[in-house]
Amino acid sequence: MVRSTPTTFASSRSGRPRVAIAGFQHETNTFAPFGAPFDDFVRGGGWPAITTGAAMLDVFPPIEIPIGGFISAAKDTYELIPLVWAAAEPTSFVSDDAFERIAGMICDGIASAGTLDAIYLDLHGAMVVESYEDGEGELLRRVREIVGQDIPIVISLDFHANVTDAMVELSDGITIFRTYPHIDMADTGRRAFNLLEQRIRHGRPFIKALRKTPFLIPLPAQCTDLEPCLSLYAGLPERVRGAVLNVDVALGFPLADIRECGPAVVAYGVDETAVAKAADMQLNDILEAEERFHMSLLDVKEAVEHAARNGRKGSPIVLADVQDNPGCGGTSDTIGLLKGMVEGGLRNSVLGLLWDSETAEKAHTAGLGAELNVRLGGRYDFDPEPYLARVRVEALSDGVFVANGPCLGGVQVDLGRMARLLILDPGSSVQVVVASVRFQCLDQDLLRAVGIEPSEQSVVAVKSAVHFRADFAPIAEEILTVESPGAHWCRNDTLEYKNLRHGVRRMPISMASQRSEFHVAESLE
């Protein structure tokens, strides 16, 4: 039975509020070539496998993710009722089967948890299901059907959430990552705990405000290490004062073709005028910054030529294969940049991670030092065919290790069999790291797993859009973003949206007609 008015906490033997916690994470690229079945959530891969019950209290606190931060902050204040946490790498639509099974675990757990005083959900905010544009909104609707309107529900969302009317209406509070690369995920969970504490003490719902922008922003332009996002987010804490208890911004996930796609501001507090003013001021800051959004994309040839001239051991040029970012639904198997690196004669260079379980298995069968012919990547429509190459097996790994970079922060990843292969081309010296699980190259430990020390390379190519910056920028002489075909299209104005609400521009004004021009990478000082 669920309490209808959370005023006392006698149901807990400890006398503490009983709070159910759960998580369901997926970032959906509706333009990607394949979706997410239930098994993707079971395996987890680069993220923890599906975790249920009391194990959640041990697995997540050491990890840099929201539910870990929430548990660490709340464990001495609440009696936590852990239900389930599940995540899968970004793809196209989450299958109805996966959604029904995981949402069912959450809802059944809440229904059978006994008396509850509150609920915390660790969500993404850009999940699109085969039958539902707004996966998080549908989950919250089902939870509300069980607990009614009086139980406080606080949720945390990803920086790239497409915040919908339903998410705001059906929850009592939302906290959102404030960094991209995401290095404040656990802190976002801690802020969710603080907001829930304020909601419980307040005893009634907060005043809420939701504001949305009239334009979409490509992900490479959303980096909070660069302007204008650096200033936009640096000023965000100043909005939280007095009657205003929280203000957050999600810059949206533009590859989700849904009606409510796009950046949004949320604000919470106890005074309607103050909350509305804070939300309006934050929205105005974003609107005024529109002309300053920028995204420099180089074609493969000019990026490789620049890297060949300037890359050196100990201070590498980092090439970001942004449109094949698996963290945005990319296949992580396109070979356009890899071919360019070889044909451009790069030396002492590496590209990772290429998703190619077939080649990884072949390398493990052949063994260290073996030379063999392989068909690298290129299994989807972005390349005319796989890259045919003769390679030597330089290193092998089972793909199970702990990644300690700023984004992963201690997550044990399982990428299946991995191999480091040297492409045997007399005019170049390029290695490629292949993995059996599709995962974004956002952590140097993903390359160290097969014996590559990134700082000792002249050129490092990563299949990532922005997250790699947190760990690779400190060692990089320059960062160049490369435009090679892939499922993470960065030019939103080339996409055929069918469901986006009327009047929303697909790019900021400053970027509407922007095309590839050569710009030396931004300063990394």
Side-chain angles (χ1 to χ4, degrees):
M1 171 177 181
V2 178
R3 184 196 309 277
S4 60
T5 53
T7 55
T8 63
F9 312 116
S11 58
S12 170
R13 280 179 288 181
S14 65
R16 297 179 293 170
R18 301 186 76 243
V19 178
I21 61 172
F24 192 2
Q25 295 264 346
H26 191 266
E27 185 176 75
T28 305
N29 176 348
T30 60
F31 300 97
F34 50 82
F38 179 69
D39 284 350
D40 282 6
F41 294 92
V42 172
R43 289 191 300 269
W47 298 106
I50 191 168
T51 308
T52 61
M56 294 168 59
L57 303 180
D58 296 322
V59 169
F60 296 115
I63 302 175
E64 175 60 32
I65 59 176
I67 199 166
F70 185 92
I71 292 170
S72 296
K75 62 183 180 180
D76 295 329
T77 304
Y78 300 152
E79 180 184 338
L80 298 176
I81 315 300
L83 304 177
V84 61
W85 187 93
E89 274 293 284
T91 60
S92 189
F93 299 93
V94 173
S95 71
D96 284 343
D97 173 66
F99 180 79
E100 295 298 336
R101 292 169 75 171
I102 298 170
M105 293 179 196
I106 294 171
C107 291
D108 290 348
I110 289 171
S112 61
T115 306
L116 292 175
D117 297 292
I119 295 169
Y120 163 69
L121 298 176
D122 177 12
L123 307 177
H124 185 283
M127 175 165 54
V128 186
V129 185
E130 288 174 322
S131 293
Y132 304 103
E133 275 198 0
D134 179 9
E136 287 85 359
E138 174 61 20
L139 174 62
L140 286 165
R141 183 190 65 77
R142 297 183 186 191
V143 171
R144 278 292 179 209
E145 285 186 350
I146 298 169
V147 305
Q149 298 304 309
D150 296 325
I151 296 290
I153 300 175
V154 168
I155 65 177
S156 56
L157 296 178
D158 191 278
F159 186 96
H160 308 297
N162 293 316
V163 182
T164 65
D165 294 345
M167 292 180 207
V168 175
E169 178 184 350
L170 295 169
S171 66
D172 287 80
I174 296 175
T175 60
I176 301 172
F177 305 170
R178 294 177 173 176
T179 61
Y180 183 37
H182 307 329
I183 58 174
D184 69 330
M185 293 185 285
D187 185 60
T188 302
R190 288 187 284 269
R191 291 195 296 114
F193 162 74
N194 292 334
L195 193 60
L196 180 56
E197 274 282 87
Q198 291 171 308
R199 168 63 182 87
I200 290 175
R201 289 198 301 266
H202 188 56
R204 59 185 184 278
F206 294 138
I207 301 296
K208 309 173 185 178
L210 170 64
R211 305 287 187 267
K212 299 181 181 180
T213 72
F215 57 88
L216 307 182
I217 305 172
L219 265 66
Q222 295 184 12
C223 178
T224 56
D225 292 342
L226 309 173
E227 295 292 358
C229 294
L230 178 63
S231 296
L232 286 173
Y233 279 87
L236 197 56
E238 298 177 9
R239 304 282 186 221
V240 181
R241 61 179 63 186
V244 180
L245 303 178
N246 191 57
V247 180
D248 268 321
V249 176
L251 288 187
F253 188 62
L255 293 164
D257 182 14
I258 64 172
R259 182 181 181 280
E260 296 188 70
C261 179
V265 176
V266 293
Y268 298 88
V270 296
D271 178 83
E272 185 171 359
T273 301
V275 170
K277 181 180 179 181
D280 289 339
M281 291 177 68
Q282 189 63 45
L283 175 64
N284 188 63
D285 284 353
I286 299 172
L287 298 179
E288 289 186 346
E290 182 178 1
E291 294 187 356
R292 295 192 290 135
F293 284 102
H294 176 73
M295 176 179 65
S296 177
L297 297 176
L298 309 181
D299 68 33
V300 170
K301 185 174 185 295
E302 60 191 354
V304 167
E305 287 177 350
H306 184 80
R309 290 192 302 268
N310 297 282
R312 64 182 187 276
K313 182 179 179 180
S315 189
I317 302 290
V318 174
L319 304 179
D321 195 359
V322 294
Q323 296 198 143
D324 194 32
N325 173 21
C328 301
T331 62
S332 200
D333 88 325
T334 67
I335 46 85
L337 179 55
L338 178 62
K339 286 182 64 177
M341 293 170 67
V342 176
E343 293 169 359
L346 291 187
R347 298 282 180 179
N348 189 38
S349 303
V350 63
L351 178 143
L353 299 171
L354 192 76
W355 180 38
D356 192 334
S357 57
E358 178 182 318
T359 297
E361 186 66 29
K362 190 172 183 179
H364 276 257
T365 299
L368 281 174
E371 296 186 4
L372 58 157
N373 296 320
V374 295
R375 295 166 55 87
L376 291 167
R379 287 164 174 78
Y380 293 89
D381 294 337
F382 309 107
D383 300 297
E385 62 179 356
Y387 184 34
L388 308 180
R390 187 160 184 80
V391 302
R392 183 168 65 236
V393 181
E394 300 288 288
L396 299 168
S397 168
D398 64 3
V400 179
F401 55 93
V402 174
N404 290 300
C407 284
L408 293 179
V411 170
Q412 177 172 291
V413 299
D414 183 354
L415 302 183
R417 287 187 162 182
M418 299 177 67
R420 170 163 57 97
L421 309 174
L422 173 66
I423 296 177
L424 298 175
D425 177 87
S428 66
S429 177
V430 177
Q431 299 184 86
V432 58
V433 178
V434 298
S436 298
V437 171
R438 189 176 58 96
F439 194 64
Q440 180 177 179
C441 192
L442 46 60
D443 191 308
Q444 293 187 55
D445 286 334
L446 304 182
L447 302 181
R448 292 180 179 127
V450 288
I452 290 283
E453 180 51 53
S455 65
E456 293 301 304
Q457 306 301 303
S458 299
V459 180
V460 178
V462 295
K463 289 185 177 289
S464 176
V466 171
H467 283 315
F468 73 93
R469 290 175 179 268
D471 206 22
F472 286 87
I475 68 167
E477 176 69 21
E478 292 177 304
I479 292 173
L480 304 178
T481 52
V482 185
E483 186 173 22
S484 185
H488 170 214
W489 291 269
C490 292
R491 302 190 191 278
N492 303 334
D493 50 1
T494 67
L495 297 173
E496 296 183 4
Y497 291 90
K498 297 178 181 178
N499 302 304
L500 188 63
R501 64 194 182 280
H502 179 70
V504 176
R505 297 190 297 279
R506 300 179 183 186
M507 297 280 274
I509 289 173
S510 58
M511 303 172 67
S513 61
Q514 186 177 306
R515 288 295 177 261
S516 288
E517 297 178 1
F518 182 78
H519 297 282
V520 175
E522 68 280 354
S523 171
L524 297 176
E525 296 179 359

